[in-house]
Amino acid sequence: MRTVFFISDRTGITAEALGNSLLTQFPEINFKRVNLAFIDTQKKAQTAALLIKEASEADGEPALIFSTQVSAEYAHLLENSGGIIFDFFETFISKMEDTLETKSSHEMGLSHGVGNKNTYSGRIDSINFALNNDDGLSTKNYDHADIILTGVSRSGKTPTCLFLALQYGIYAANYPLIDEDLDSVKLPSVLKPFKSKLYGLSINPVRLQNIRGERRSNSGYASIEQCQKEVRRAEDMYVQNNVPFIDTSHISIEEIAGRILQKSKLERRY
């Protein structure tokens, strides 16, 4: 067991994302993860340093610290906590200052602040679009969509749409393929006018059964026979209509969204 701290003066999202990417390369080690966000006062930094010291003593090994702490004063407290610090900010900022021949602002909270108001408003709009056009609830806005994901129930449509909206500003809608749609290899009539915007999601039937079983165990909806039938018919529909599709079984939402963005050549808004 090794305790890992993700520390930042704001949300900690950057430290956690970069740190976890590195930790995946050591699957044989059991990591206990602790996120300490908004460490933006001396008192909070001192408390964080104490927590790191206690964790290191309990583990018998120095804790790992992934930090995007801007303040040199607070970063110094972390360095003296007894843990091993990986300071993402300092690693890159000094080299950038040398390259750009100017000093950085060292201002807290810029990366996850509102920043450009147009960009921020666009992000909110794209998220609202994904929510309002989720799961086929409304199809009247499909002409405004950048992409329309389709697939059987629980294949990953909603989280992928939300990630595309939040991360890239893509206007993404999704349409669920139900039994009536899967009785034929023809596209559902509501989707035919938007064929160029369609992207299919598929999934391994056993994986689908596990996901559905968590929601409605021992039901026909979650039976392996039903899952196999739906996946097979959905893929037949994609192939017959030249709809590109991706298998979501063993890849993260982030990777699904990234691959769709690349393959469909969508232009990200930010």
Side-chain angles (χ1 to χ4, degrees), residues 90-101:
E90 186 56 36
T91 296
F92 298 105
I93 204 71
S94 57
K95 188 173 182 179
M96 289 183 69
E97 288 178 336
D98 291 341
T99 301
L100 299 174
E101 297 181 345

Side-chain angles (χ1 to χ4, degrees), residues 95-141:
K95 188 173 182 179
M96 289 183 69
E97 288 178 336
D98 291 341
T99 301
L100 299 174
E101 297 181 345
T102 187
K103 289 293 183 181
S104 65
S105 67
H106 271 65
E107 184 177 345
M108 294 182 183
L110 294 180
S111 62
H112 294 293
V114 171
N116 185 300
K117 290 185 178 180
N118 290 331
T119 297
Y120 187 77
S121 296
R123 175 175 283 153
I124 298 300
D125 288 343
S126 61
I127 293 171
N128 284 332
F129 184 90
L131 292 172
N132 292 332
N133 296 276
D134 179 49
D135 215 25
L137 295 177
S138 174
T139 60
K140 63 182 180 181
N141 297 316

Side-chain angles (χ1 to χ4, degrees), residues 185-186 195 235-243:
V185 293
K186 295 180 180 179
K195 180 180 173 182
E235 290 188 355
D236 286 345
M237 180 185 292
Y238 302 151
V239 172
Q240 288 294 322
N241 295 279
N242 295 314
V243 174

Side-chain angles (χ1 to χ4, degrees), residues 38-255:
F38 300 100
I39 304 301
D40 52 5
T41 67
Q42 185 180 52
K43 184 177 180 179
K44 290 179 181 179
Q46 290 171 337
T47 300
L50 180 60
L51 290 173
I52 294 166
K53 183 174 183 292
E54 292 174 347
S56 298
E57 291 173 352
D59 292 348
E61 296 283 353
L64 307 182
I65 309 162
F66 293 109
S67 171
T68 53
Q69 181 61 252
V70 173
S71 167
E73 177 188 354
Y74 305 159
H76 183 67
L77 288 171
L78 300 178
E79 289 172 359
N80 293 327
S81 65
I84 307 298
I85 190 166
F86 300 89
D87 191 330
F88 293 125
F89 192 87
E90 186 56 36
T91 296
F92 298 105
I93 204 71
S94 57
K95 188 173 182 179
M96 289 183 69
E97 288 178 336
D98 291 341
T99 301
L100 299 174
E101 297 181 345
T102 187
K103 289 293 183 181
S104 65
S105 67
H106 271 65
E107 184 177 345
M108 294 182 183
L110 294 180
S111 62
H112 294 293
V114 171
N116 185 300
K117 290 185 178 180
N118 290 331
T119 297
Y120 187 77
S121 296
R123 175 175 283 153
I124 298 300
D125 288 343
S126 61
I127 293 171
N128 284 332
F129 184 90
L131 292 172
N132 292 332
N133 296 276
D134 179 49
D135 215 25
L137 295 177
S138 174
T139 60
K140 63 182 180 181
N141 297 316
Y142 279 8
D143 54 333
H144 298 300
D146 296 315
I147 193 167
I148 302 168
L149 302 186
T150 188
V152 301
S153 172
R154 314 303 289 178
S155 57
K157 300 182 299 299
T158 296
T160 303
C161 283
L162 288 172
F163 191 88
L164 285 167
L166 177 63
Q167 194 69 18
Y168 303 119
I170 299 297
Y171 283 70
N174 76 76
Y175 180 88
L177 295 174
I178 59 176
D179 281 339
E180 289 83 352
D181 298 319
L182 296 171
D183 283 340
S184 168
V185 293
K186 295 180 180 179
L187 288 175
S189 58
V190 70
L191 296 181
K192 287 180 180 178
F194 309 104
K195 180 180 173 182
S196 62
K197 296 183 178 184
L198 295 181
Y199 209 104
L201 302 187
S202 189
I203 188 170
N204 180 281
V206 175
R207 172 66 176 151
L208 181 60
Q209 180 192 31
N210 292 334
I211 295 172
R212 288 183 174 183
E214 292 175 1
R215 187 181 185 187
R216 289 166 53 185
S217 60
N218 302 317
S219 65
Y221 167 78
S223 70
I224 187 62
E225 294 80 12
Q226 180 68 16
C227 294
Q228 288 172 333
K229 181 182 74 172
E230 289 186 33
V231 170
R232 182 178 66 253
R233 291 183 175 179
E235 290 188 355
D236 286 345
M237 180 185 292
Y238 302 151
V239 172
Q240 288 294 322
N241 295 279
N242 295 314
V243 174
F245 67 95
I246 184 173
D247 187 333
T248 66
S249 305
H250 303 294
I251 54 179
S252 67
I253 295 300
E254 295 89 339
E255 188 171 350

